[in-house]
Amino acid sequence: MIEKLEQIKKEAREASNNSSSLEELELVRERFFSRKSGEFTVLAKGMKDLSDNERKKIGQKMNEVKSEIEAFFDHKKNEFEMKVWEAIAVTEAIDVTQPKLPTPGHGHQHPMTIVHTELEELFTSMGFTVLDGPELESEYYNFDALNIPGTHPARDSQDTFFIKNHPEWVMRTHTSPVQVRAMQKYGAPLRAVVSGRCFRNESTDASHEHTFYQMEGIVIDRHISIAHLIGVMKELLRGVLRKDVEVRLRPGYFPFVEPGFELDMKCLVCGGAGCGACKHSGWIETLPCGLVHPKVIEAGGLDPVEWTGFAFGLGSMRLCMQKYGIEDIRHLHGGNLSFLEQF
Ligand code: DAH
């Protein structure tokens, strides 16, 4: 039996040395060690016929031979694996001296998106709903429902894009139409903000664009006063600009509020000295606002004796300019990456 073991050892060494791949080596391993018919396994099974004494002696030898054969196989296996790693090292080597390749830049939010998102978060934290409204609006919602009838001179202050052959449709000139839509849809009490694009036939300059953004706000409840209005406006400016800003309130005329105000803030671009952004006045008209006119409440389907409210129409592009110190509104639509990548 000892001789047989020596014979198997010799053959196993030769067979493993002659194998030319991992797969072949596996077959060799099977040949000697497979559970049923492996040459070594079969021999080991013969142990049971030996006497106790012999079994002890041969068992020891058998263990030695088994370890030796396994060592041949492991050695050969390592050889094959090294070859695989060498091949990978050649094909996938990293050249640490190679200069860094330019990585594609990450996208990011437009400054107007940042401002609107911040505003919406601020207002939702105060219990407001965020609403949406159509950009192609009916003349009724854009004007009549807001107490601006066809012959009213206030129509002239909003140089409107009417739709060819459809005089009853306009590109909305402000976000205020959503005030009435919101009241009609949700009734009272109501707290809502609406941000979106508005359109006017303006010639563009540092502070005017034909397409611009507003954020409208409306609160309808019982016993709403100017104190509520001013409180929310201050919270708004502090929330977005992250500092207390100097403001002034002056009377302003808008047919859909009574009384109406213009809330101006000290220009943050020039600190009040005068620049393109503030039309050289040192103040920015930021927040037209007022108490909702009874006729507008009525158009919203509510009883103006029972319900009161305030509203505001924030020029959010101008606020964005103040927040970031942008001196020309046209940058915000310019699509110039070297400008936009600063945010
Ligand atoms: N819609 C007005 C505009 O674009 C701004 C405005 C003024 C909105 C007063 C309001 C408001 O809600 O109360 O000129």
Side-chain angles (χ1 to χ4, degrees):
M1 209 157 183
I2 301 270
E3 275 160 34
K4 184 79 185 143
L5 270 173
E6 287 296 340
Q7 178 69 20
I8 286 182
K9 184 165 104 181
K10 191 165 157 259
E11 282 176 19
R13 187 194 297 129
E14 278 169 16
S16 67
N17 277 343
N18 291 340
S19 58
S20 58
S21 67
L22 268 176
E23 292 73 26
E24 255 183 51
L25 184 65
E26 248 344 277
L27 292 178
V28 173
R29 195 190 288 276
E30 289 271 292
R31 175 181 151 198
F32 291 95
F33 288 133
S34 93
R35 272 170 172 256
K36 274 194 184 146
S37 54
E39 290 179 26
F40 185 91
T41 322
V42 171
L43 196 68
K45 277 181 186 160
M47 292 264 289
K48 66 178 188 316
D49 303 326
L50 299 176
S51 68
D52 281 356
N53 225 355
E54 270 179 323
R55 195 182 306 132
K56 207 171 169 194
K57 211 168 80 200
I58 299 211
Q60 204 179 359
K61 180 75 182 163
M62 201 158 249
N63 283 340
E64 276 171 30
V65 170
K66 188 174 184 209
S67 306
E68 282 174 291
I69 299 178
E70 276 170 349
F72 301 149
F73 290 168
D74 287 348
H75 177 76
K76 194 70 188 169
K77 190 175 173 203
N78 279 346
E79 242 177 64
F80 287 130
E81 283 177 349
M82 278 308 290
K83 281 200 182 125
V84 172
W85 283 114
E86 276 163 18
I88 290 175
V90 170
T91 53
E92 294 181 19
I94 297 167
D95 177 0
V96 290
T97 63
Q98 190 179 9
K100 186 174 175 283
L101 295 171
T103 42
H106 290 284
H108 58 89
Q109 290 190 324
H110 188 279
M112 281 307 299
T113 312
I114 299 174
V115 167
H116 278 154
T117 309
E118 281 182 9
L119 281 168
E120 285 170 5
E121 276 168 10
L122 180 76
F123 277 103
T124 37
S125 78
M126 292 195 278
F128 282 67
T129 313
V130 178
L131 297 180
D132 215 350
E135 291 180 349
L136 178 62
E137 184 54 283
S138 73
E139 189 190 10
Y140 171 77
Y141 280 111
N142 197 79
F143 294 120
D144 302 72
L146 292 169
N147 195 28
I148 317 176
T151 52
H152 199 289
R155 286 212 181 188
D156 292 346
S157 68
Q158 304 195 354
D159 201 349
T160 311
F161 290 115
F162 281 89
I163 304 301
K164 208 171 180 180
N165 302 328
H166 291 280
E168 70 280 20
W169 292 104
V170 301
M171 294 305 289
R172 69 173 174 197
T173 55
H174 49 182
T175 41
S176 303
V178 191
Q179 288 187 23
V180 178
R181 287 182 176 275
M183 280 186 272
Q184 287 178 344
K185 188 159 180 195
Y186 300 104
L190 175 75
R191 276 183 239 179
V193 285
V194 184
S195 50
R197 285 196 299 184
C198 307
F199 311 85
R200 286 189 206 176
N201 187 15
E202 302 261 8
S203 37
T204 47
D205 61 28
S207 55
H208 292 87
E209 263 284 18
H210 49 73
T211 301
F212 55 96
Y213 286 86
Q214 287 190 342
M215 176 182 255
E216 192 80 15
I218 182 165
V219 170
I220 300 284
D221 212 323
R222 297 187 174 91
H223 314 299
I224 290 291
S225 73
I226 295 170
H228 295 118
L229 166 66
I230 294 176
V232 172
M233 296 302 90
K234 280 195 166 166
E235 199 53 38
L236 185 171
L237 293 177
R238 194 179 309 129
V240 174
L241 302 169
R242 307 242 162 79
K243 54 180 141 182
D244 282 319
V245 288
E246 217 177 306
V247 295
R248 70 179 187 189
L249 201 63
R250 15 179 210 109
Y253 176 68
F254 304 96
F256 35 93
V257 280
E258 181 57 41
F261 304 103
E262 287 279 8
L263 189 135
D264 302 340
M265 71 174 177
K266 184 71 89 45
C267 180
L268 297 177
V269 176
C270 62
C275 68
C278 60
K279 297 188 214 156
H280 302 280
S281 73
W283 291 90
I284 298 275
E285 281 178 25
T286 315
L287 264 170
C289 51
L291 296 187
V292 183
H293 196 288
K295 282 200 176 162
V296 177
I297 295 184
E298 225 164 53
L302 301 171
D303 177 2
V305 176
E306 183 181 3
W307 299 104
T308 50
F310 71 79
F312 62 89
L314 170 73
S316 43
M317 281 178 124
R318 293 198 179 152
L319 190 68
C320 177
M321 290 164 75
Q322 291 295 308
K323 181 177 166 80
Y324 294 114
I326 300 165
E327 81 296 348
D328 195 319
I329 198 168
R330 288 166 290 195
H331 288 313
L332 291 171
H333 275 153
N336 180 349
L337 282 184
S338 54
F339 166 76
L340 291 172
E341 276 166 359
Q342 300 173 79
F343 299 93

